[in-house]
Amino acid sequence: MEEEKKYKILVVDDEDDLCEILKFNLETEGYQVTTANSAEDALKLDIASFDLLLLDVMMGGMSGFAMAKQLKANPSTASVPIIFLTARDTENDTVTGFNLGADDYISKPFSLREVLVRVRAVLRRTSEHQGSEPAVLRYQGLEMNLDKKTVSIDGADVPFTKTEFELLHLLLEEKGRVFSRQELIDKVWPKDVLVLDRTVDVNITRLRKKIGRFAKCIVTRLGFGYYFDA
């Protein structure tokens, strides 16, 4: 892992022993770790200051899904990456997690090595698009600030999940190029997570809704994939 920055991770799980195990192992890897035993306690913290959330789905009070929904609706926390930790591993639950903007989804019981690999992958993807890129991408009234990770439509800020932001960034940066679903999966999602074609479609549908009058610019080329038609 890169040592230039000490990443801050928040672990939210109602199993205190699990929180302590994750905290110990993540801190051993060089991360700065805070734990909370409920979504309610976590929401009292400055969520926007964290680089990643490890969030349990099934908790006694507010669920992880409910907490994630609240965070993604707030522009100040919408871009904070989330990895769900859960004993529920059905396809519907996985799609629900990604539909809420999750960056990854790990089923319990899991190995600590698996968690560390996925944490590194998400954090690497979070920071990989910095440096030589232009700070802003624009198309008419649609504007993406690549440094602040924000999107505005006709001057109004719109909250985006990280996955939605990455999809729009890719399509807008290479306008007119058709991306297959597999290309989008390879470029936007971590290499070590299984993503269904349907998950891509769900995210594209959600992206279209968020960009309002520009929705028609994201075109489906049947049998091939998606592209941004300028």
Side-chain angles (χ1 to χ4, degrees):
M1 118 183 211
E2 296 86 355
E3 294 295 332
E4 295 179 3
K5 175 180 179 181
K6 191 162 186 177
Y7 291 103
K8 293 179 62 179
I9 298 176
L10 174 61
V11 178
V12 185
D13 196 299
D14 58 2
E15 296 181 50
D16 189 58
D17 288 347
L18 182 57
C19 282
E20 290 306 310
I21 290 170
L22 288 171
K23 179 180 173 69
F24 175 80
N25 283 273
L26 289 166
E27 287 182 341
T28 300
E29 289 292 303
Y31 301 112
Q32 184 177 337
V33 183
T34 300
T35 63
N37 292 129
S38 70
E40 290 83 356
D41 286 344
L43 289 170
K44 296 174 185 175
L45 304 172
D46 180 12
I47 300 291
S49 70
F50 291 95
D51 298 295
L52 175 66
L53 268 60
L54 294 181
L55 181 57
D56 186 28
V57 171
M58 301 290 287
M59 293 184 284
M62 176 186 288
S63 73
F65 284 161
M67 178 179 169
K69 186 175 181 179
Q70 182 171 324
L71 294 177
K72 295 305 180 181
N74 184 339
S76 69
T77 54
S79 63
V80 178
I82 295 174
I83 297 178
F84 280 119
L85 304 174
T86 180
R88 301 168 61 174
D89 61 356
T90 67
E91 179 181 315
N92 284 341
D93 286 329
T94 304
V95 172
T96 297
F98 284 122
N99 195 32
L100 285 170
D103 289 78
D104 206 344
Y105 196 106
I106 305 176
S107 298
K108 298 178 181 179
F110 46 73
S111 71
L112 289 168
R113 183 173 178 274
E114 176 188 14
V115 173
L116 295 174
V117 166
R118 297 196 180 206
V119 164
R120 281 195 295 270
V122 170
L123 289 172
R124 184 170 58 247
R125 186 160 59 87
T126 300
S127 57
E128 68 182 359
H129 291 303
Q130 297 177 358
S132 61
E133 299 180 303
V136 175
L137 280 178
R138 291 188 185 89
Y139 174 72
Q140 298 179 9
L142 170 59
E143 181 175 298
M144 300 187 73
N145 187 310
L146 304 181
D147 293 331
K148 296 181 179 178
K149 308 300 183 189
T150 58
V151 179
S152 64
I153 309 293
D154 297 325
D157 287 341
V158 179
F160 268 59
T161 67
K162 175 153 179 54
T163 299
E164 293 164 356
F165 188 92
E166 295 285 353
L167 282 171
L168 182 58
H169 181 188
L170 190 62
L171 294 169
L172 188 57
E173 191 170 51
E174 299 193 48
K175 293 187 289 291
R177 177 185 166 187
V178 178
F179 289 90
S180 68
R181 289 182 179 85
Q182 190 57 53
E183 281 183 296
L184 294 175
I185 290 171
D186 291 342
K187 291 177 180 292
V188 172
W189 279 270
K191 298 292 188 292
D192 54 357
V193 59
L194 175 63
V195 180
L196 308 170
D197 283 353
R198 184 155 64 106
T199 304
V200 177
D201 297 337
V202 165
N203 278 274
I204 290 289
T205 298
R206 201 172 59 199
L207 178 57
R208 283 174 171 147
K209 289 179 180 178
K210 288 197 174 181
I211 60 176
R213 66 187 180 91
F214 298 102
K216 64 182 183 298
C217 294
I218 298 181
V219 179
T220 304
R221 181 62 60 83
L222 292 177
F224 294 95
Y226 298 99
Y227 69 99
F228 193 98
D229 185 20

